[in-house]
Amino acid sequence: VQSVQRTFLGQVVSARPCTVCQGYGTTIPHPCPTCAGDGRVRTRRSLTVKIPAGVEDGMRIRLAQQGEVGPGGGTAGDLYVEIHERPHDVYSRKGDDLHCRVTVPMTAAALGTRLTIKTLDSEETVDVKAGTQPGSTLRLRARGVPHLRGTGRGDLYVHLDVRTPSKLDAEQERMLREFAKTRGEEVAELTKQGGFFSRMRDAFNGHA
């Protein structure tokens, strides 16, 4: 619908949609009682969304023409699905790399042992070398998250926490004292500086 207004600058022509047909050019004499002639109704439906391997928190997946239908039979819009990762009770993620923590006894760290690590695909056996220190990290290549774009995967890092015994019986304490003597460690001197076993715990915890 066009309208003309006369001003001191001349005639101004403006156009706006028809208030009857809303610009469609036709009118519906007997509109549908369900959609009132709009050509669409609000309803719910379920969709199956394929999540590709390697997606990260905050990414969005676009589903073309799965959004709201346009008025009057217009083309449907797109649906965007935003990804939110739930925290895992074992693994933490940094990029495409995974991290986990495993606690090993003090004796196993000193003598060496084997650990069975559960990865995303299967179980892996890794060797812990004798003399492993607290805070050491084992790296399992290509056991992390698949790369979203391209081939390959990230790595899995296993962080080792060495557990020092907090309570010792008489026999265990005697054996540790004998072990200290064979290494030339003065138990009496260490005891004056805070205790042999507390110093040992500090050593395993990384304190000087």
Side-chain angles (χ1 to χ4, degrees):
V1 178
Q2 291 184 340
S3 60
V4 180
Q5 286 182 319
R6 297 180 181 275
T7 65
F8 67 93
L9 297 176
Q11 293 183 345
V12 178
V13 180
S14 60
R16 66 181 185 276
C18 171
T19 57
V20 179
C21 70
Q22 303 300 324
Y24 288 107
T26 58
T27 58
I28 302 176
H30 304 288
C32 169
T34 304
C35 68
D38 191 38
R40 56 182 180 173
V41 293
R42 185 180 296 275
T43 184
R44 291 180 178 270
R45 59 179 175 143
S46 298
L47 294 176
T48 300
V49 182
K50 183 178 180 180
I51 307 298
V55 294
E56 295 188 54
D57 187 76
M59 287 186 172
R60 297 195 302 173
I61 298 176
R62 174 176 172 266
L63 303 179
Q65 297 186 359
Q66 295 297 327
E68 186 174 337
V69 178
T75 304
D78 299 334
L79 173 63
Y80 289 88
V81 180
E82 186 169 342
I83 303 298
H84 290 279
E85 288 183 345
R86 291 186 301 179
H88 196 269
D89 56 350
V90 175
Y91 304 112
S92 60
R93 180 178 179 181
K94 292 182 180 179
D96 289 338
D97 295 330
L98 293 178
H99 297 259
C100 69
R101 307 194 73 87
V102 176
T103 301
V104 296
M106 178 186 67
T107 52
L111 301 175
T113 185
R114 281 191 170 186
L115 297 177
T116 300
I117 305 298
K118 187 176 182 180
T119 66
L120 296 180
D121 307 302
S122 60
E123 291 185 348
E124 298 282 342
T125 301
V126 295
D127 292 328
V128 177
K129 296 181 179 180
T132 296
Q133 299 299 311
S136 299
T137 301
L138 304 178
R139 179 183 180 185
L140 302 182
R141 295 182 181 274
R143 292 297 183 269
V145 179
H147 299 314
L148 181 61
R149 297 176 180 86
T151 58
R153 301 175 59 169
D155 299 329
L156 172 60
Y157 292 89
V158 181
H159 303 274
L160 299 179
D161 291 333
V162 178
R163 183 178 66 241
T164 303
S166 57
K167 293 183 179 180
L168 299 173
D169 57 27
E171 179 63 18
Q172 292 171 342
E173 182 177 350
R174 183 189 64 79
M175 295 175 63
L176 276 180
R177 289 183 180 277
E178 291 182 356
F179 171 72
K181 290 180 180 180
T182 60
R183 292 180 54 88
E185 298 172 351
E186 296 296 335
V187 179
E189 180 180 351
L190 294 175
T191 303
K192 294 179 181 179
Q193 298 177 4
F196 168 71
F197 298 108
S198 62
R199 289 291 301 273
M200 181 176 289
R201 284 195 295 268
D202 292 341
F204 278 104
N205 290 328
H207 299 299

